[in-house]
Amino acid sequence: MNFQAPLTTLVWLTSIVSVVLTYLASYLLIPDLGDGTIWWKLSTVITCGTLAGAIIPEFVKVFTSVESAHVKEVVTSSKEGGPSLNILSGFVAGNFSSYWLGLSIVWLMGIAAYVGTATPSLGALMASPAVFAFGLVAFGFLGMGPVTIAVDSYGPVTDNAQSVFELSVIETLPGIKQQLKRDHGFDVRFERAKDLLEENDGAGNTFKATAKPVLIGTAVVGATTMIFSIIMSLTGDLTHDVDKLSILYPPFLLGLITGGAVIYWFTGAATQAVSTGAYRAVEFIKANIKLEGVEKASVSDSKKVVEICTQYAQRGMFNIFLTVFFATLAFAFFEPFFFIGYLISIALFGLFQAIFMANAGGAWDNAKKIVEVELKAKGTPLHAATVVGDTVGDPFKDTSSVAMNPVIKFTTLFGLLAVSLAVNLSRESGAQVSLGLAAVFFVLSLIFVWRSFYGMRIGSNA
């Protein structure tokens, strides 16, 4: 059965309907600004965002679907190379996906920028029509939001359906087939049901993977317009200090470098929380739960494992949020144009890191699914190798990559307020006050950076 076809059709039908409605609404509602073609030019810009919501998932499938050559290469490499080559092949899939998805985003935003700058009536109304066009691309992106949420929700539903069936161990109950036949009047084929649930889970993994780059794309394209609003505020609508928006201005360049450093800290901190929590859970299971000859653990032991995982998830969330919060304040108070470079870097590094991690994780996950569903090789060394890859992929695709979205949005939105406050404070109380507060905020952020790594290390508390 092809579980992917209905949702793929839904995505494309939604995009086509959105495009038609965009052109129709633009024709009826946009007034004539002296350029009779402005309505369809603006519609074309919005359509670039709408199409991105449909095209990007197709690119993602090339690297994460169970039919993908990249995913099949992960399986093939695992046959001889075990977990090592499994992980390396997943890295390759993630890196190549970042290249092609990056180019697709550049292509669509480039079309929007060209149309925006080629519209004289827009140039007469605003300082930067290209940035306005980027905002409309983000609007088109978000127009695909409902269907993106739908396909993203499909993945957890199929995943949990398969897990509920497996954990129920219903096929082991004595006389269960006869009882179901008697009570409900149909014959049960547990193996067939298991195969269908596994296959559907593979389709769900693919759709979960397709949603992530779309969501991170909306954050980055939207952040572009927010950053531009900060630039307009700091430069008096581009009337002064424009020369500071250049790598020739040292604070701006240093801000670009700092943003990359923060993205890689965030990736490590999120993964550290996962690895430490998983270690503690396994540690408890080995010490307290005897699974030999037992189908499932007791309710109290299961609750304790969930409690351990929740505890480390909350600790990681607390440390990460406060680090991002204080770092945003510190860099905004330190130097406004340093902060602009920082925001740009956060968006760009975050985009490619999120795409890489999401698609590498999707490739590892579906490689395991191929081994389980198509090859029927559960319990073999090949299956063990793909389980290792999937274990690495889970924090990649389900933790670090997806959390990049709120980090970019929060940093940009909160940064707009922080830099305005910093500029006003510097004007009223002097630059030394702002620098002093920046130092205090930076030290506070370092405290939580320390907590996110060294306070969360596996050996930090027995």
Side-chain angles (χ1 to χ4, degrees):
M1 297 180 66
N2 188 349
F3 291 98
Q4 295 188 26
L7 279 179
T8 301
T9 303
L10 172 65
V11 171
W12 279 102
L13 283 177
T14 304
S15 65
I16 292 171
V17 171
S18 298
V19 169
V20 172
L21 291 177
T22 297
Y23 277 93
L24 180 61
S26 299
Y27 177 74
L28 295 175
L29 300 177
I30 295 178
D32 186 3
L33 299 178
D35 183 352
T37 61
I38 188 172
W39 68 271
W40 73 261
K41 288 184 177 180
L42 292 181
S43 299
T44 301
V45 172
I46 297 173
T47 297
C48 288
T50 304
L51 290 178
I55 293 172
I56 288 176
E58 295 303 317
F59 273 109
V60 173
K61 290 176 189 175
V62 172
F63 298 94
T64 62
S65 169
V66 288
E67 289 89 19
S68 163
H70 287 274
V71 175
K72 291 179 180 178
E73 182 179 351
V74 174
V75 176
T76 302
S77 65
S78 305
K79 290 179 180 179
E80 299 295 338
S84 301
L85 290 187
N86 174 281
I87 291 172
L88 288 177
S89 297
F91 268 75
V92 171
N95 283 317
F96 269 100
S97 70
S98 296
Y99 172 77
W100 289 111
L101 287 175
L103 288 185
S104 67
I105 292 173
V106 167
W107 177 62
L108 292 166
M109 291 182 69
I111 293 174
Y114 173 77
V115 174
T117 54
T119 306
S121 51
L122 285 182
L125 288 175
M126 60 192 66
S128 181
V131 176
F132 176 70
F134 293 154
L136 292 180
V137 171
F139 179 77
F141 244 133
L142 293 172
M144 292 293 287
V147 72
T148 301
I149 294 171
V151 298
D152 193 30
S153 302
Y154 181 78
V157 170
T158 58
D159 198 346
N160 284 339
Q162 188 270 332
S163 298
V164 167
F165 178 85
E166 187 171 338
L167 292 174
S168 70
V169 294
I170 186 172
E171 66 269 30
T172 64
L173 299 179
I176 187 63
K177 290 186 177 181
Q178 294 77 6
Q179 180 182 342
L180 291 173
K181 175 68 174 178
R182 182 179 64 252
D183 295 345
H184 302 283
F186 59 83
D187 293 316
V188 182
R189 293 185 295 164
F190 287 120
E191 288 303 318
R192 177 60 175 162
K194 187 179 299 184
D195 287 344
L196 290 175
L197 286 170
E198 292 276 10
E199 187 176 348
N200 199 19
D201 187 22
N205 292 336
T206 302
F207 280 110
K208 280 192 296 183
T210 62
K212 292 177 176 64
V214 174
L215 295 174
I216 194 67
T218 62
V220 172
V221 179
T224 302
T225 56
M226 291 298 299
I227 294 170
F228 184 71
S229 68
I230 298 174
I231 292 173
M232 294 291 286
S233 174
L234 292 176
T235 60
D237 296 338
L238 303 179
T239 58
H240 59 81
D241 290 333
V242 179
D243 58 309
K244 294 181 179 179
L245 297 169
S246 166
I247 59 173
L248 298 178
Y249 184 61
F252 181 80
L253 176 60
L254 295 175
L256 291 174
I257 298 172
T258 304
V262 169
I263 286 296
Y264 279 90
W265 156 78
F266 168 78
T267 301
T271 307
Q272 181 72 63
V274 173
S275 60
T276 305
Y279 180 90
R280 296 293 178 216
V282 173
E283 186 179 48
F284 173 83
I285 291 170
K286 288 184 175 180
N288 299 279
I289 303 176
K290 305 303 180 185
L291 295 177
E292 293 81 2
V294 180
E295 291 289 347
K296 52 188 177 181
S298 66
V299 173
S300 60
D301 285 338
S302 298
K303 286 183 176 180
K304 181 61 179 178
V305 173
V306 173
E307 178 187 337
I308 292 171
C309 295
T310 304
Q311 172 191 353
Y312 280 92
Q314 290 175 339
R315 286 180 59 184
M317 174 190 67
F318 180 79
N319 293 329
I320 289 171
F321 171 74
L322 289 179
T323 299
V324 173
F325 177 80
F326 286 118
T328 302
L329 286 174
F331 300 144
F333 277 78
F334 173 65
E335 215 277 347
F337 292 93
F338 174 94
F339 186 61
I340 291 174
Y342 170 75
L343 291 179
I344 294 172
S345 183
I346 284 282
L348 292 180
F349 275 89
L351 170 67
F352 287 101
Q353 182 76 336
I355 292 174
F356 158 70
M357 300 188 81
N359 291 338
W364 283 317
D365 199 348
N366 271 344
K368 179 173 73 81
K369 200 58 59 181
I370 288 175
V371 172
E372 293 174 345
V373 176
E374 295 183 15
L375 303 182
K376 310 292 185 186
K378 275 190 174 182
T380 65
L382 173 61
H383 184 244
T386 58
V387 168
V388 171
D390 185 35
T391 304
V392 175
D394 278 343
F396 266 51
K397 63 185 177 65
D398 295 329
T399 305
S400 297
S401 65
V402 292
M404 215 78 75
N405 185 345
V407 166
I408 293 172
K409 289 180 177 176
F410 171 80
T411 303
T412 308
L413 290 171
F414 180 58
L416 177 61
L417 301 176
V419 77
S420 299
L421 176 63
V423 169
N424 290 333
L425 182 64
S426 181
R427 184 185 302 117
E428 295 173 2
S429 303
Q432 297 304 317
V433 175
S434 293
L435 290 175
L437 287 173
V440 172
F441 291 138
F442 184 64
V443 170
L444 289 173
S445 73
L446 288 180
I447 291 173
F448 290 101
V449 167
W450 185 91
R451 284 169 55 94
S452 69
F453 274 120
Y454 306 105
M456 291 281 285
R457 285 193 300 190
I458 291 173
S460 60
N461 56 338

